[in-house]
Amino acid sequence: MASSLARTALRTAARRAPRALPAVSRPAQAASYSLLAKAAAAKSAQCATASGTRGVKTLDFAGTKEVVYERSDWPLAKLQDYFKNDTLALIGYGSQGHGQGLNARDNGLNVIVGVRKDGESWKQAMEDGWVPGENLFPIEEAINKGTIIMNLLSDAAQSQTWNSIAPLITKGKTLYFSHGFSVVFKDDTHVVPPKDVDVILVAPKGSGRTVRTLFKEGRGINSSIAVWQDVTGKAKEKAIALGVAVGSGYLYETTFEKEVYSDLYGERGVLMGAIQGLFLAQYQVLRKNGHTPSEAFNETVEEATQSLYPLIGQKGMDYMFNACSTTARRGALDWAPVFEKANLPIFEQLYESVKNGTETRKSLEFNGRATYREDLNKELEVINNQEIWRAGKTVRSLRPDYKPESE
Ligand SMILES: NC(=O)c1ccc[n+]([C@@H]2O[C@H](COP(=O)([O-])OP(=O)(O)OC[C@H]3O[C@@H](n4cnc5c(N)ncnc54)[C@H](OP(=O)(O)O)[C@@H]3O)[C@@H](O)[C@H]2O)c1
């Protein structure tokens, strides 16, 4: 999930979360990326059920065959050898910069960070063990030193800074993104990569915090990979290798366009926008009909998130239909098509709004305002004050594993 609101919240959460112990220097080439990671790679190889060469699998997704790349095809020594002449210049140290940068560094690659001097990210990077003048530099200096330029500024900042960054991305360098946003919507962002560099994408399907925690657990996040421009003939291979380097377990091939369309669509849809809308609508009707806030919240959010959604995650909605009561099953079978029919035109409208660039223009306009932070806070304050979420605080406080929530 990657909504801009969620990114901000997750970035804040990531910054509040305990950090890994600072590592002050690049690990030796021989060092493993982590014992846990190695063990997990071995385990995933053992558990492989698909056909094809080990590490590159053709899998059957409900009748459609797709190629999936995996980390086990890139043992650490091969990865380090592949990038032995490269400097990965990570531009931006927010949610993704933090997760991807630390993972690549722990994988023994030569990583440097480029951020605004003395800004919030500069301080965070120093807390994480990046050393000014050694592997932490102002943006322009980092780009000059890097061979692979990983543009992990916020999407609005990628557009705002492009004019000063573009001339530094010279022939022979590789330009890397984690979202198709900037180049796909170039008419609005004005991000047009130089013609003589490879342009690739690795988009982790989760927050930077998850990118880091899964890596430390020896797992790996699912990521999309894509190629926008292949000058060397090696762009795809580089994207796969970089995906592994930054902590991906499995890599799914896509295009820049499909990545950005699906991502913007999903976060506005069931990942956040639609779910907030549905929660609110259901809650309001319960309240209008005399149900207490606790009853309305329990029936709308608590049961969903604590009981049913985790089961859907583990076993699918098809399983839920088999596992629930006969009464619930009858009702859900009857009402699902009603919701589908009512929502289909909205989802179609949403997809069109993404594809024709309306969502991008809104995002660039809003996130590029000088008053961005104040304007955002006003809107978030409205959500904070909604009765449903205030009631939720009390409901959550009764959970056996409750820990006081920081404001
Ligand atoms: N977060 C996610 O869940 C997620 C998931 C997948 C892909 N992505 C993609 O990954 C990329 C990075 O996203 P993110 O969420 O990691 O970004 P972010 O947390 O918002 O990070 C923003 C970074 O941009 C810098 N920045 C902001 N405005 C700037 C400006 N005007 N000039 C220079 N630097 C500026 C910030 O530095 P300061 O601290 O100095 O302001 C910070 O280092 C985006 O393309 C995003 O779409 C994100």
Side-chain angles (χ1 to χ4, degrees), residues 157-395:
Q158 288 180 19
S159 171
Q160 285 166 347
T161 57
W162 183 245
N163 284 345
S164 55
I165 284 181
L168 309 177
I169 302 169
T170 48
K171 189 172 177 184
K173 294 192 194 259
T174 298
L175 181 57
Y176 165 110
F177 292 95
S178 282
H179 200 8
F181 190 96
S182 289
V183 292
V184 170
F185 293 111
K186 55 185 179 305
D187 292 345
D188 299 298
T189 62
H190 309 296
V191 174
V192 181
K195 283 270 168 269
D196 50 2
V197 300
D198 287 346
V199 183
I200 57 176
L201 170 144
V202 176
K205 298 285 107 188
S207 81
R209 185 182 184 183
T210 319
V211 170
R212 183 64 180 153
T213 44
L214 287 181
F215 176 83
K216 287 205 291 185
E217 288 167 15
R219 295 157 70 195
I221 195 153
N222 284 344
S223 296
S224 298
I225 52 149
V227 172
W228 179 260
Q229 200 165 274
D230 187 3
V231 173
T232 61
K234 301 244 169 197
K236 184 165 135 188
E237 183 183 74
K238 236 183 285 176
I240 296 167
L242 279 167
V244 172
V246 302
S248 313
Y250 291 94
L251 298 132
Y252 297 76
E253 200 171 345
T254 185
T255 62
F256 270 62
E257 288 88 350
K258 291 224 168 73
E259 188 282 330
V260 70
Y261 296 163
S262 58
D263 188 72
L264 297 180
Y265 175 75
E267 65 201 12
R268 283 154 180 74
V270 294
L271 299 181
M272 281 198 78
I275 214 79
Q276 158 80 350
L278 271 181
F279 279 158
L280 276 185
Q282 170 160 318
Y283 182 90
Q284 281 168 36
V285 171
L286 285 168
R287 291 288 287 130
K288 270 192 201 134
N289 283 283
H291 298 267
T292 61
S294 68
E295 188 165 57
F297 186 87
N298 275 325
E299 198 55 42
T300 302
V301 181
E302 192 72 355
E303 185 171 344
T305 59
Q306 301 308 297
S307 171
L308 303 199
Y309 291 178
L311 282 174
I312 296 169
Q314 279 164 23
K315 301 193 170 187
M317 197 72 204
D318 45 346
Y319 166 86
M320 280 297 307
F321 273 105
N322 280 313
C324 66
S325 74
T326 51
T327 316
R329 182 187 305 145
R330 181 69 263 141
L333 284 170
D334 290 342
W335 278 90
V338 179
F339 281 106
E340 185 186 343
K341 195 168 169 213
N343 281 294
L344 199 59
I346 303 174
F347 279 104
E348 274 161 357
Q349 187 189 340
L350 169 58
Y351 193 86
E352 183 50 32
S353 182
V354 166
K355 201 172 169 188
N356 68 24
T358 305
E359 297 303 311
T360 297
R361 283 186 286 281
K362 280 192 195 167
S363 166
L364 286 173
E365 187 280 316
F366 184 84
N367 297 325
R369 283 183 206 166
T371 55
Y372 158 73
R373 179 55 55 196
E374 297 92 299
D375 294 352
L376 176 67
N377 284 344
K378 271 188 218 147
E379 285 189 67
L380 295 185
E381 213 33 46
V382 172
I383 295 179
N384 285 344
N385 286 323
Q386 281 166 348
E387 185 191 276
I388 182 172
W389 301 120
R390 287 189 286 116
K393 286 197 172 112
T394 312
V395 173

Side-chain angles (χ1 to χ4, degrees), residues 1-3 7 10-11 15 92-97 100 115-116 119-122 139 151-155 157-158 160-161 178-179 181 203-208 263:
M1 159 180 127
S3 96
R7 280 176 191 145
L10 288 166
R11 179 186 175 198
R15 289 189 161 167
Y93 198 74
S95 172
Q96 287 298 324
Q100 296 188 27
V115 285
R116 290 191 278 207
E120 180 62 19
S121 295
W122 182 277
I139 292 177
N151 195 333
L152 295 178
L153 298 175
S154 68
D155 295 309
Q158 288 180 19
Q160 285 166 347
T161 57
S178 282
H179 200 8
F181 190 96
K205 298 285 107 188
S207 81
D263 188 72

